[in-house]
Amino acid sequence: MSIVVTAASGQLGRLVLAELLDRGVPADQLVAAGRSPDKLADLAGRGVAVAAVDYTDPDTLAKAFAAGDTVLLISSGDLTDRVGQHRNAVDAALAAGVGRLVYTSVLGADGTPLPIAPDHVRTEEIVRESGLPFTFLRNGWYTENYGRTLDQVRASGVLLTSVGDGRVASAARADFAAAAAAVLIGDGHEGRAYELSGDEAWSFDDLAAAFSTLLGREVVHRSVSPEDHRRILVENGVDPQLVGFLVAMDGAIREGALAIRTGELSRLAGRPTTPLLDGLRPLAG
């Protein structure tokens, strides 16, 4: 029986595998399953089994899973048919007889206004309907998600949003990876849904101040109405579909969707979550 980490060639997957190894899980009990096995050569060199897995190809999933395995299903980044891809993985896990499926869902999945939520909610339903033993890791926002924003404000000096007074309790990917590792190797997590977020909920004025510190230049937060936000983004050539998503995300933040703090992330990780400035620092270049 092994611990199988899907999307292992992605950022979160690699961090989870590194955390498992650091916690003493023998390499021969781990499977790094990803779309780009060539990116996993370093793990293979440490004795971790590597499997080529594509969520759109059920045969690859069937080959990667075995009876009794604990599987970490890291959600797909393909928004065109994410639910269908997740269903493939759940079906393969059920057919293989895996011991437990751990799925990375979204914070507050039961009623969040986040535009990314519906696919996660449906996936949770599919997992429950399958009858597989499960744990849901309802991950909040990664601090690293603001890497692109950092690049934008480096040039403009303006952090443009429509979040109002909204706050975000973000944490570093490494924090979420530590929590995932603890759940994968620990007992008592079956049937649980953990709401995972950072210890502190920061404002976008705080984010602008952090950017100022890292960039050595003044960055100001400019919060506008959703209508003005949409107009400004369109005038600056942003793809209309992306504009809709960005404005909807800011609306959800304005409603408090990412400000939820439960303490469960730091408890599972076994340490405080990474402060905003420290989480952003590696992105500053």
Side-chain angles (χ1 to χ4, degrees):
M1 293 182 289
S2 299
I3 297 174
V4 182
V5 177
T6 68
S9 50
Q11 293 172 302
L12 180 61
R14 289 189 64 87
L15 288 170
V16 172
L17 285 160
E19 187 75 30
L20 290 168
L21 289 167
D22 288 347
R23 291 176 182 237
V25 178
D28 62 4
Q29 293 180 15
L30 297 174
V31 177
R35 294 184 64 178
S36 304
D38 55 307
K39 296 181 180 179
L40 301 170
D42 59 320
L43 290 168
R46 298 179 65 180
V48 176
V50 171
V53 162
D54 186 329
Y55 291 160
T56 67
D57 186 345
D59 288 342
T60 64
L61 293 160
K63 291 175 182 177
F65 302 158
D69 285 348
T70 295
V71 174
L72 174 62
L73 175 59
I74 294 178
S75 59
S76 170
D78 183 352
L79 304 184
T80 57
D81 185 26
R82 180 152 57 180
V83 171
Q85 293 179 24
H86 292 169
R87 187 188 296 277
N88 288 340
V90 173
D91 288 346
L94 183 63
V98 304
R100 179 164 54 112
L101 185 71
V102 180
Y103 172 64
T104 60
S105 187
V106 65
L107 184 66
D110 292 331
T112 180
L114 288 166
I116 60 174
D119 287 350
H120 292 290
V121 172
R122 181 60 189 129
T123 299
E124 287 193 9
E125 292 172 349
I126 290 168
V127 173
R128 291 181 189 275
E129 292 164 359
S130 74
L132 284 166
F134 69 86
T135 306
F136 296 144
L137 303 178
R138 291 176 171 172
N139 289 354
W141 214 235
Y142 304 142
T143 299
E144 291 89 343
N145 288 347
Y146 292 98
R148 182 175 297 178
T149 307
L150 179 62
D151 291 336
Q152 293 167 350
V153 301
R154 188 192 306 269
S156 68
V158 176
L159 173 60
L160 178 70
T161 77
S162 50
V163 298
D165 295 326
R167 289 177 173 264
V168 176
S170 71
R173 278 194 182 89
D175 300 328
F176 291 97
V183 168
L184 290 168
I185 63 178
D187 296 322
H189 302 295
E190 186 174 321
R192 300 290 299 275
Y194 292 110
E195 305 289 350
L196 304 180
S197 59
D199 295 334
E200 300 295 331
W202 46 262
S203 71
F204 279 73
D205 287 345
D206 295 330
L207 180 60
F211 285 157
S212 296
T213 298
L214 293 172
L215 298 176
R217 64 158 299 173
E218 183 182 15
V219 175
V220 297
H221 173 217
R222 180 187 174 199
S223 182
V224 298
S225 70
E227 295 75 20
D228 284 344
H229 193 191
R230 184 183 303 275
R231 176 182 55 77
I232 293 168
L233 291 174
V234 170
E235 288 175 352
N236 281 272
V238 179
D239 178 82
Q241 189 169 4
L242 179 57
V243 168
F245 174 79
L246 293 173
V247 174
M249 275 299 306
D250 278 16
I253 292 171
R254 196 169 57 249
E255 294 179 38
L258 292 179
I260 298 169
R261 291 181 293 164
T262 65
E264 289 188 336
L265 178 55
S266 54
R267 180 178 64 80
L268 288 173
R271 61 173 189 258
T273 59
T274 305
L276 174 63
L277 186 60
D278 293 339
L280 291 171
R281 199 177 299 279
L283 309 177

